[in-house]
Amino acid sequence: MSETPAPGMDAETFDQFLEQLERYVRERLIPAEAEVIANDRIPDEIVAEMKEMGLFGLTVPEDFGGAGLNTTQYAKVVKTMAYAAPAYRSIFSINVGMFNSAIKNGGTDAQKAEWWPRIAAGEIACFGLTEPGSGSDSAAMATTARPDPDGNGWILNGTKRYITNAPHADVALIMARTEKDALPKNAHVSAFIVPMDTPGMSTSSPDKKMGQAGSHISDVMLDDVHVPGEALLGGETGKGFRFAMMSLDNGRISVGAASTGYARRALDSALKYANERQAFGEPIANFQLIQQMLSESWTEIYAAEAMMADVTARVDRGENTVKHAAAFKVFASEMCGRVVDRVVQIYGGAGYLAEYDAERFFRDARIYRIYEGTTQILQLQIAKHMLREYAAGM
Protein backbone atom coordinates (compact mmCIF):
# COMPACT_ATOMS: atom_id res chain seq x y z
CA MET A 1 0.00 0.00 0.00
CA SER A 2 1.27 3.43 -0.99
CA GLU A 3 1.81 5.92 1.81
CA THR A 4 1.57 8.93 -0.56
CA PRO A 5 -1.88 9.74 -1.95
CA ALA A 6 -2.19 10.14 -5.72
CA PRO A 7 -1.52 13.86 -6.29
CA GLY A 8 -4.07 14.70 -8.96
CA MET A 9 -4.75 18.24 -10.14
CA ASP A 10 -3.77 21.15 -7.91
CA ALA A 11 -6.62 21.61 -5.40
CA GLU A 12 -7.30 25.27 -6.19
CA THR A 13 -7.28 24.63 -9.94
CA PHE A 14 -9.58 21.65 -9.52
CA ASP A 15 -12.06 23.64 -7.43
CA GLN A 16 -12.21 26.26 -10.16
CA PHE A 17 -12.70 23.58 -12.80
CA LEU A 18 -15.52 21.97 -10.80
CA GLU A 19 -17.25 25.32 -10.31
CA GLN A 20 -17.03 25.95 -14.06
CA LEU A 21 -18.37 22.45 -14.73
CA GLU A 22 -21.35 22.97 -12.41
CA ARG A 23 -22.30 26.11 -14.36
CA TYR A 24 -21.88 24.24 -17.66
CA VAL A 25 -24.18 21.45 -16.44
CA ARG A 26 -26.94 23.84 -15.37
CA GLU A 27 -26.65 26.44 -18.11
CA ARG A 28 -25.78 24.24 -21.10
CA LEU A 29 -26.44 20.55 -20.55
CA ILE A 30 -29.76 20.60 -18.69
CA PRO A 31 -31.38 23.03 -21.18
CA ALA A 32 -30.31 20.68 -24.01
CA GLU A 33 -31.86 17.58 -22.42
CA ALA A 34 -35.11 17.86 -24.38
CA GLU A 35 -33.14 17.80 -27.64
CA VAL A 36 -31.05 14.83 -26.47
CA ILE A 37 -34.21 12.89 -25.59
CA ALA A 38 -36.11 13.84 -28.75
CA ASN A 39 -33.25 12.85 -31.07
CA ASP A 40 -31.73 10.08 -28.91
CA ARG A 41 -28.29 11.60 -29.33
CA ILE A 42 -26.08 14.28 -27.84
CA PRO A 43 -25.67 17.20 -30.26
CA ASP A 44 -22.30 17.14 -32.00
CA GLU A 45 -21.45 20.63 -30.77
CA ILE A 46 -21.89 19.56 -27.14
CA VAL A 47 -19.67 16.50 -27.64
CA ALA A 48 -17.06 18.83 -29.15
CA GLU A 49 -17.36 21.16 -26.16
CA MET A 50 -16.89 18.25 -23.74
CA LYS A 51 -13.76 17.19 -25.60
CA GLU A 52 -12.44 20.75 -25.49
CA MET A 53 -13.03 20.80 -21.72
CA GLY A 54 -10.86 17.69 -21.37
CA LEU A 55 -13.61 15.40 -20.08
CA PHE A 56 -12.47 12.46 -22.22
CA GLY A 57 -9.00 12.48 -20.68
CA LEU A 58 -9.70 13.36 -17.05
CA THR A 59 -7.40 10.69 -15.58
CA VAL A 60 -4.85 10.57 -18.39
CA PRO A 61 -1.49 11.91 -17.10
CA GLU A 62 -0.76 15.52 -17.96
CA ASP A 63 2.41 14.51 -19.83
CA PHE A 64 0.19 12.69 -22.32
CA GLY A 65 -2.36 15.46 -22.78
CA GLY A 66 -4.82 14.63 -20.00
CA ALA A 67 -5.98 16.45 -16.87
CA GLY A 68 -4.21 14.06 -14.49
CA LEU A 69 -7.07 13.86 -11.99
CA ASN A 70 -6.86 11.41 -9.11
CA THR A 71 -9.81 9.13 -8.34
CA THR A 72 -11.34 11.44 -5.72
CA GLN A 73 -11.39 14.31 -8.21
CA TYR A 74 -12.62 12.12 -11.05
CA ALA A 75 -15.58 10.85 -9.00
CA LYS A 76 -16.54 14.42 -8.12
CA VAL A 77 -16.56 15.29 -11.82
CA VAL A 78 -18.74 12.28 -12.62
CA LYS A 79 -21.16 13.16 -9.81
CA THR A 80 -21.37 16.74 -11.10
CA MET A 81 -21.96 15.65 -14.70
CA ALA A 82 -24.54 13.07 -13.60
CA TYR A 83 -26.81 15.85 -12.34
CA ALA A 84 -27.76 16.22 -16.02
CA ALA A 85 -29.09 13.50 -18.34
CA PRO A 86 -27.12 10.23 -18.04
CA ALA A 87 -26.00 10.29 -21.69
CA TYR A 88 -23.54 13.10 -20.98
CA ARG A 89 -21.61 10.99 -18.45
CA SER A 90 -21.94 7.82 -20.47
CA ILE A 91 -20.13 9.09 -23.55
CA PHE A 92 -16.86 9.84 -21.73
CA SER A 93 -17.04 7.49 -18.72
CA ILE A 94 -15.78 4.37 -20.51
CA ASN A 95 -12.71 6.32 -21.63
CA VAL A 96 -11.93 7.51 -18.14
CA GLY A 97 -13.22 4.83 -15.79
CA MET A 98 -12.37 1.65 -17.67
CA PHE A 99 -10.29 1.96 -20.84
CA ASN A 100 -7.77 4.35 -19.35
CA SER A 101 -7.63 2.35 -16.13
CA ALA A 102 -6.82 -0.83 -18.07
CA ILE A 103 -4.09 0.99 -20.00
CA LYS A 104 -2.68 2.43 -16.77
CA ASN A 105 -2.69 -0.90 -14.92
CA GLY A 106 -1.71 -3.24 -17.73
CA GLY A 107 -0.46 -1.35 -20.75
CA THR A 108 3.08 -1.34 -22.04
CA ASP A 109 4.98 1.94 -22.31
CA ALA A 110 4.37 1.86 -26.07
CA GLN A 111 0.62 1.34 -25.58
CA LYS A 112 0.44 4.24 -23.14
CA ALA A 113 2.38 6.48 -25.51
CA GLU A 114 0.03 5.63 -28.38
CA TRP A 115 -3.36 5.57 -26.70
CA TRP A 116 -3.24 8.08 -23.86
CA PRO A 117 -2.87 11.12 -26.16
CA ARG A 118 -5.60 9.80 -28.47
CA ILE A 119 -8.01 9.23 -25.60
CA ALA A 120 -7.22 12.63 -24.07
CA ALA A 121 -7.91 14.25 -27.46
CA GLY A 122 -11.41 12.78 -27.46
CA GLU A 123 -11.30 9.43 -29.23
CA ILE A 124 -14.17 7.38 -27.80
CA ALA A 125 -13.57 3.95 -26.27
CA CYS A 126 -15.78 0.96 -25.56
CA PHE A 127 -15.19 -2.05 -23.33
CA GLY A 128 -15.91 -5.51 -24.77
CA LEU A 129 -16.45 -8.03 -21.97
CA THR A 130 -20.11 -9.13 -21.95
CA GLU A 131 -21.28 -11.67 -24.55
CA PRO A 132 -24.64 -13.19 -25.54
CA GLY A 133 -23.83 -16.23 -23.39
CA SER A 134 -21.57 -14.79 -20.72
CA GLY A 135 -21.20 -11.75 -18.53
CA SER A 136 -19.72 -12.23 -15.11
CA ASP A 137 -18.99 -15.89 -15.96
CA SER A 138 -15.67 -15.61 -17.79
CA ALA A 139 -15.37 -19.40 -18.07
CA ALA A 140 -18.21 -19.27 -20.60
CA MET A 141 -16.56 -16.61 -22.79
CA ALA A 142 -16.79 -17.65 -26.43
CA THR A 143 -14.80 -14.91 -28.18
CA THR A 144 -11.44 -16.34 -29.22
CA ALA A 145 -8.02 -14.99 -30.15
CA ARG A 146 -5.74 -17.39 -31.95
CA PRO A 147 -2.19 -16.70 -33.15
CA ASP A 148 -2.01 -15.44 -36.71
CA PRO A 149 -0.13 -18.11 -38.69
CA ASP A 150 1.17 -15.46 -41.07
CA GLY A 151 2.80 -13.22 -38.48
CA ASN A 152 3.16 -12.29 -34.83
CA GLY A 153 -0.40 -11.03 -34.46
CA TRP A 154 -3.78 -12.48 -33.54
CA ILE A 155 -7.09 -13.33 -35.20
CA LEU A 156 -10.21 -12.52 -33.15
CA ASN A 157 -13.67 -14.01 -33.60
CA GLY A 158 -16.80 -13.59 -31.52
CA THR A 159 -19.63 -11.30 -30.46
CA LYS A 160 -19.85 -8.84 -27.59
CA ARG A 161 -23.22 -7.65 -26.28
CA TYR A 162 -24.60 -4.53 -24.53
CA ILE A 163 -21.43 -2.58 -25.29
CA THR A 164 -21.80 1.08 -24.28
CA ASN A 165 -20.61 3.58 -26.93
CA ALA A 166 -19.95 0.82 -29.49
CA PRO A 167 -21.99 2.48 -32.29
CA HIS A 168 -19.71 5.55 -32.29
CA ALA A 169 -16.52 4.27 -30.63
CA ASP A 170 -13.07 4.68 -32.14
CA VAL A 171 -11.41 1.86 -30.19
CA ALA A 172 -12.44 -1.18 -28.19
CA LEU A 173 -10.78 -3.16 -25.43
CA ILE A 174 -11.78 -6.71 -26.28
CA MET A 175 -11.58 -9.66 -23.89
CA ALA A 176 -10.96 -12.98 -25.66
CA ARG A 177 -9.90 -16.54 -24.88
CA THR A 178 -6.29 -17.25 -25.75
CA GLU A 179 -6.53 -20.72 -24.21
CA LYS A 180 -9.21 -23.33 -24.93
CA ASP A 181 -9.75 -24.43 -21.35
CA ALA A 182 -10.53 -22.24 -18.37
CA LEU A 183 -7.35 -21.81 -16.35
CA PRO A 184 -6.93 -20.75 -12.71
CA LYS A 185 -7.57 -17.07 -11.98
CA ASN A 186 -9.05 -16.56 -15.48
CA ALA A 187 -5.65 -16.89 -17.16
CA HIS A 188 -7.40 -18.14 -20.30
CA VAL A 189 -8.64 -14.60 -21.01
CA SER A 190 -6.50 -11.86 -22.56
CA ALA A 191 -7.24 -8.27 -23.54
CA PHE A 192 -6.71 -6.66 -26.94
CA ILE A 193 -6.77 -3.01 -28.03
CA VAL A 194 -8.68 -3.01 -31.30
CA PRO A 195 -9.48 0.09 -33.41
CA MET A 196 -13.11 -0.08 -34.49
CA ASP A 197 -12.20 0.50 -38.15
CA THR A 198 -10.16 -2.72 -38.25
CA PRO A 199 -11.45 -4.98 -41.07
CA GLY A 200 -13.86 -7.56 -39.68
CA MET A 201 -15.10 -5.28 -36.87
CA SER A 202 -18.77 -4.27 -37.07
CA THR A 203 -21.62 -3.20 -34.81
CA SER A 204 -25.34 -3.85 -34.80
CA SER A 205 -27.99 -1.15 -34.77
CA PRO A 206 -28.23 0.54 -31.37
CA ASP A 207 -30.50 -1.33 -28.98
CA LYS A 208 -33.77 0.26 -27.90
CA LYS A 209 -33.68 0.79 -24.16
CA MET A 210 -35.94 1.56 -21.21
CA GLY A 211 -34.22 4.87 -20.51
CA GLN A 212 -30.96 6.83 -20.78
CA ALA A 213 -31.82 8.39 -24.14
CA GLY A 214 -28.77 9.55 -26.06
CA SER A 215 -26.57 6.82 -24.61
CA HIS A 216 -26.09 4.01 -27.11
CA ILE A 217 -25.28 0.33 -26.75
CA SER A 218 -24.99 -2.38 -29.39
CA ASP A 219 -23.38 -5.68 -30.24
CA VAL A 220 -19.81 -5.75 -31.50
CA MET A 221 -19.08 -8.49 -34.02
CA LEU A 222 -15.55 -9.73 -34.72
CA ASP A 223 -15.16 -11.78 -37.90
CA ASP A 224 -11.56 -12.86 -38.48
CA VAL A 225 -10.24 -9.58 -37.11
CA HIS A 226 -6.47 -9.45 -37.58
CA VAL A 227 -4.55 -7.39 -35.03
CA PRO A 228 -0.78 -7.01 -34.60
CA GLY A 229 1.09 -8.45 -31.65
CA GLU A 230 1.31 -5.04 -30.00
CA ALA A 231 -2.50 -5.03 -29.67
CA LEU A 232 -2.21 -7.52 -26.79
CA LEU A 233 -2.61 -5.47 -23.62
CA GLY A 234 0.55 -5.68 -21.54
CA GLY A 235 2.26 -7.80 -24.19
CA GLU A 236 1.40 -11.03 -22.35
CA THR A 237 -1.45 -13.50 -22.60
CA GLY A 238 -3.48 -14.56 -19.59
CA LYS A 239 -3.64 -11.18 -17.86
CA GLY A 240 -6.60 -9.66 -19.66
CA PHE A 241 -9.29 -10.60 -17.19
CA ARG A 242 -7.28 -9.28 -14.23
CA PHE A 243 -6.79 -5.94 -16.01
CA ALA A 244 -10.49 -5.88 -16.86
CA MET A 245 -11.53 -6.53 -13.29
CA MET A 246 -9.13 -3.88 -12.00
CA SER A 247 -10.65 -1.36 -14.40
CA LEU A 248 -14.14 -2.42 -13.36
CA ASP A 249 -13.37 -1.09 -9.87
CA ASN A 250 -13.06 2.37 -11.43
CA GLY A 251 -16.14 1.69 -13.52
CA ARG A 252 -18.12 0.81 -10.40
CA ILE A 253 -16.99 3.98 -8.67
CA SER A 254 -18.14 5.90 -11.74
CA VAL A 255 -21.58 4.24 -11.64
CA GLY A 256 -21.83 4.89 -7.91
CA ALA A 257 -20.95 8.55 -8.41
CA ALA A 258 -23.42 8.82 -11.29
CA SER A 259 -26.16 7.24 -9.17
CA THR A 260 -25.44 9.73 -6.39
CA GLY A 261 -25.48 12.74 -8.69
CA TYR A 262 -28.69 11.68 -10.44
CA ALA A 263 -30.42 10.96 -7.13
CA ARG A 264 -29.55 14.51 -6.06
CA ARG A 265 -31.09 15.86 -9.28
CA ALA A 266 -34.28 13.85 -8.74
CA LEU A 267 -34.57 14.96 -5.12
CA ASP A 268 -34.09 18.63 -6.04
CA SER A 269 -36.87 18.23 -8.58
CA ALA A 270 -39.18 16.66 -5.98
CA LEU A 271 -38.39 19.40 -3.44
CA LYS A 272 -39.31 22.07 -5.99
CA TYR A 273 -42.52 20.26 -6.98
CA ALA A 274 -43.56 19.68 -3.37
CA ASN A 275 -43.28 23.39 -2.65
CA GLU A 276 -45.25 24.38 -5.75
CA ARG A 277 -47.99 21.73 -5.74
CA GLN A 278 -51.00 22.76 -3.70
CA ALA A 279 -53.44 20.38 -1.98
CA PHE A 280 -56.02 21.22 0.66
CA GLY A 281 -55.03 24.85 0.37
CA GLU A 282 -51.31 24.49 1.10
CA PRO A 283 -48.08 23.16 -0.48
CA ILE A 284 -47.77 19.38 -0.19
CA ALA A 285 -44.29 20.03 1.26
CA ASN A 286 -46.13 20.85 4.49
CA PHE A 287 -47.45 17.29 4.80
CA GLN A 288 -45.40 15.14 7.14
CA LEU A 289 -45.41 11.99 4.99
CA ILE A 290 -44.05 14.01 2.06
CA GLN A 291 -41.41 15.38 4.41
CA GLN A 292 -40.54 11.82 5.44
CA MET A 293 -39.84 10.82 1.82
CA LEU A 294 -37.77 13.97 1.27
CA SER A 295 -35.73 13.46 4.42
CA GLU A 296 -35.13 9.74 3.81
CA SER A 297 -33.89 10.55 0.33
CA TRP A 298 -31.54 13.30 1.54
CA THR A 299 -30.15 11.02 4.25
CA GLU A 300 -29.42 8.20 1.81
CA ILE A 301 -27.76 10.54 -0.68
CA TYR A 302 -25.59 11.91 2.12
CA ALA A 303 -24.57 8.35 3.05
CA ALA A 304 -23.63 7.61 -0.57
CA GLU A 305 -21.56 10.80 -0.74
CA ALA A 306 -19.71 9.74 2.41
CA MET A 307 -19.03 6.30 0.92
CA MET A 308 -17.76 7.90 -2.28
CA ALA A 309 -15.34 10.11 -0.34
CA ASP A 310 -14.05 7.09 1.59
CA VAL A 311 -13.58 4.66 -1.30
CA THR A 312 -11.93 7.20 -3.59
CA ALA A 313 -9.53 8.26 -0.82
CA ARG A 314 -8.64 4.58 -0.38
CA VAL A 315 -7.93 4.24 -4.11
CA ASP A 316 -5.74 7.33 -4.06
CA ARG A 317 -3.78 5.88 -1.11
CA GLY A 318 -3.10 2.76 -3.15
CA GLU A 319 -5.29 0.38 -1.15
CA ASN A 320 -7.02 -2.69 -2.55
CA THR A 321 -10.59 -1.46 -2.95
CA VAL A 322 -12.38 -4.32 -4.73
CA LYS A 323 -14.75 -4.81 -1.79
CA HIS A 324 -15.22 -1.10 -1.11
CA ALA A 325 -15.86 -0.17 -4.75
CA ALA A 326 -18.42 -2.96 -5.02
CA ALA A 327 -20.13 -1.87 -1.79
CA PHE A 328 -20.31 1.76 -2.91
CA LYS A 329 -21.76 0.80 -6.28
CA VAL A 330 -24.33 -1.49 -4.70
CA PHE A 331 -25.45 1.04 -2.10
CA ALA A 332 -25.49 4.07 -4.40
CA SER A 333 -27.32 2.38 -7.26
CA GLU A 334 -29.93 0.82 -4.97
CA MET A 335 -30.25 4.14 -3.14
CA CYS A 336 -30.86 5.96 -6.42
CA GLY A 337 -33.61 3.48 -7.24
CA ARG A 338 -35.30 4.17 -3.92
CA VAL A 339 -34.99 7.92 -4.32
CA VAL A 340 -36.48 8.08 -7.82
CA ASP A 341 -39.32 5.81 -6.67
CA ARG A 342 -40.11 8.24 -3.85
CA VAL A 343 -39.88 11.14 -6.30
CA VAL A 344 -42.55 9.57 -8.51
CA GLN A 345 -44.68 9.13 -5.39
CA ILE A 346 -44.21 12.76 -4.36
CA TYR A 347 -45.29 13.87 -7.84
CA GLY A 348 -48.36 11.67 -7.49
CA GLY A 349 -50.30 11.15 -10.72
CA ALA A 350 -48.03 13.60 -12.50
CA GLY A 351 -45.09 11.33 -11.72
CA TYR A 352 -46.49 8.74 -14.12
CA LEU A 353 -46.72 11.16 -17.04
CA ALA A 354 -43.93 11.58 -19.56
CA GLU A 355 -44.31 15.37 -19.58
CA TYR A 356 -42.84 15.51 -16.07
CA ASP A 357 -39.23 14.70 -15.20
CA ALA A 358 -40.04 12.16 -12.47
CA GLU A 359 -41.05 9.49 -14.99
CA ARG A 360 -37.76 9.87 -16.85
CA PHE A 361 -35.71 9.80 -13.65
CA PHE A 362 -37.38 6.51 -12.73
CA ARG A 363 -36.57 4.85 -16.08
CA ASP A 364 -33.05 6.25 -16.34
CA ALA A 365 -32.00 5.09 -12.87
CA ARG A 366 -32.94 1.43 -13.29
CA ILE A 367 -29.82 0.44 -15.24
CA TYR A 368 -27.45 1.62 -12.51
CA ARG A 369 -28.27 -1.52 -10.50
CA ILE A 370 -27.09 -3.62 -13.48
CA TYR A 371 -24.14 -1.68 -14.96
CA GLU A 372 -20.62 -3.01 -14.21
CA GLY A 373 -21.91 -5.98 -12.22
CA THR A 374 -25.43 -6.49 -10.91
CA THR A 375 -26.21 -5.91 -7.27
CA GLN A 376 -26.44 -9.65 -6.72
CA ILE A 377 -23.09 -10.45 -8.34
CA LEU A 378 -21.40 -7.71 -6.32
CA GLN A 379 -23.00 -8.91 -3.09
CA LEU A 380 -21.43 -12.31 -3.77
CA GLN A 381 -18.09 -10.65 -4.45
CA ILE A 382 -18.24 -8.66 -1.21
CA ALA A 383 -19.08 -11.80 0.76
CA LYS A 384 -16.29 -13.73 -0.92
CA HIS A 385 -13.76 -11.13 0.15
CA MET A 386 -15.17 -11.04 3.68
CA LEU A 387 -14.85 -14.82 4.01
CA ARG A 388 -11.38 -14.81 2.53
CA GLU A 389 -10.24 -12.15 4.99
CA TYR A 390 -11.83 -14.02 7.90
CA ALA A 391 -10.04 -17.24 6.89
CA ALA A 392 -6.77 -15.33 6.74
CA GLY A 393 -7.34 -13.97 10.24
CA MET A 394 -7.65 -10.36 9.17
Side-chain angles (χ1 to χ4, degrees):
M1 179 171 62
S2 172
E3 295 297 328
T4 304
M9 183 184 287
D10 169 76
E12 183 178 351
T13 305
F14 177 72
D15 288 344
Q16 292 172 352
F17 171 73
L18 203 62
E19 182 179 347
Q20 175 191 4
L21 188 65
E22 288 171 351
R23 289 198 303 270
Y24 181 71
V25 166
R26 284 164 173 76
E27 297 172 8
R28 177 66 165 136
L29 298 187
I30 290 177
E33 286 179 343
E35 181 181 354
V36 171
I37 294 167
N39 298 326
D40 191 25
R41 67 190 303 271
I42 303 173
D44 291 341
E45 59 270 23
I46 289 183
V47 175
E49 291 166 6
M50 292 169 63
K51 291 180 179 181
E52 183 66 24
M53 292 175 71
L55 294 178
F56 287 77
L58 290 172
T59 57
V60 172
E62 292 183 75
D63 291 347
F64 293 87
L69 300 191
N70 60 30
T71 304
T72 297
Q73 294 169 337
Y74 160 58
K76 289 180 179 179
V77 169
V78 169
K79 177 173 167 284
T80 299
M81 286 292 293
Y83 194 85
Y88 298 122
R89 177 205 73 100
S90 182
I91 199 167
F92 73 86
S93 65
I94 304 300
N95 277 37
V96 182
M98 298 174 72
F99 187 88
N100 179 50
S101 178
I103 296 292
K104 176 183 177 182
N105 293 323
T108 64
D109 289 342
Q111 288 167 341
K112 292 173 182 177
E114 177 179 2
W115 288 104
W116 270 345
R118 295 173 64 170
I119 290 298
E123 290 198 23
I124 298 173
C126 63
F127 190 85
L129 176 62
T130 303
E131 297 185 358
S134 72
S136 302
D137 179 13
S138 69
M141 185 176 292
T143 298
T144 60
R146 68 179 192 275
D148 187 342
D150 298 327
N152 72 336
W154 299 85
I155 303 174
L156 279 61
N157 283 279
T159 300
K160 299 296 181 179
R161 179 147 292 175
Y162 310 137
I163 306 304
T164 299
N165 288 341
H168 42 254
D170 299 296
V171 61
L173 188 67
I174 299 292
M175 308 299 142
R177 309 178 72 99
T178 45
E179 299 289 343
K180 181 178 179 180
D181 298 321
L183 300 176
K185 297 184 180 179
N186 299 292
H188 62 293
V189 181
S190 300
F192 296 85
I193 305 170
V194 187
M196 292 296 288
D197 61 0
T198 304
M201 289 282 282
S202 61
T203 60
S204 64
S205 298
D207 294 307
K208 295 182 179 180
K209 311 187 306 301
M210 179 189 294
Q212 304 228 350
S215 170
H216 299 144
I217 64 173
S218 72
D219 288 1
V220 175
M221 287 78 73
L222 302 99
D223 183 13
D224 283 342
V225 175
H226 291 247
V227 296
E230 51 267 29
L232 178 63
L233 184 66
E236 296 182 48
T237 61
K239 293 187 176 180
F241 193 78
R242 182 168 66 87
F243 294 145
M245 292 302 101
M246 291 171 68
S247 63
L248 278 176
D249 285 347
N250 268 7
R252 287 163 184 161
I253 289 172
S254 176
V255 173
S259 301
T260 305
Y262 208 49
R264 178 69 68 186
R265 167 75 181 284
L267 179 58
D268 285 351
S269 172
L271 188 61
K272 181 175 184 293
Y273 185 84
N275 277 280
E276 295 174 349
R277 175 75 165 91
Q278 296 275 328
F280 306 104
E282 60 181 314
I284 64 172
N286 291 348
F287 303 153
Q288 288 183 340
L289 292 180
I290 296 293
Q291 293 174 3
Q292 178 189 27
M293 289 188 283
L294 292 171
S295 67
E296 285 179 344
S297 297
W298 186 91
T299 300
E300 289 197 279
I301 293 170
Y302 175 54
E305 290 172 341
M307 289 182 74
M308 186 178 89
D310 177 72
V311 69
T312 55
R314 289 175 181 272
V315 173
D316 288 334
R317 290 196 298 267
E319 296 182 21
N320 183 327
T321 56
V322 172
K323 184 174 63 174
H324 299 82
F328 170 51
K329 192 269 183 183
V330 167
F331 180 82
S333 62
E334 294 284 345
M335 172 277 295
C336 187
R338 291 190 293 270
V339 169
V340 296
D341 186 71
R342 294 187 195 109
V343 169
V344 171
Q345 198 72 8
I346 291 168
Y347 270 73
Y352 202 69
L353 302 182
E355 66 179 284
Y356 292 89
D357 287 337
E359 180 265 354
R360 169 167 62 97
F361 296 151
F362 188 86
R363 289 185 292 104
D364 284 345
R366 186 61 183 85
I367 190 63
Y368 289 138
R369 291 150 65 186
I370 298 172
Y371 270 153
E372 322 307 359
T374 65
T375 292
Q376 289 70 33
I377 283 291
L378 295 186
Q379 286 171 331
L380 292 176
Q381 186 179 74
I382 293 166
K384 180 180 70 174
H385 281 271
M386 290 172 62
L387 294 170
R388 183 182 301 162
E389 290 165 2
Y390 177 80
M394 296 179 63

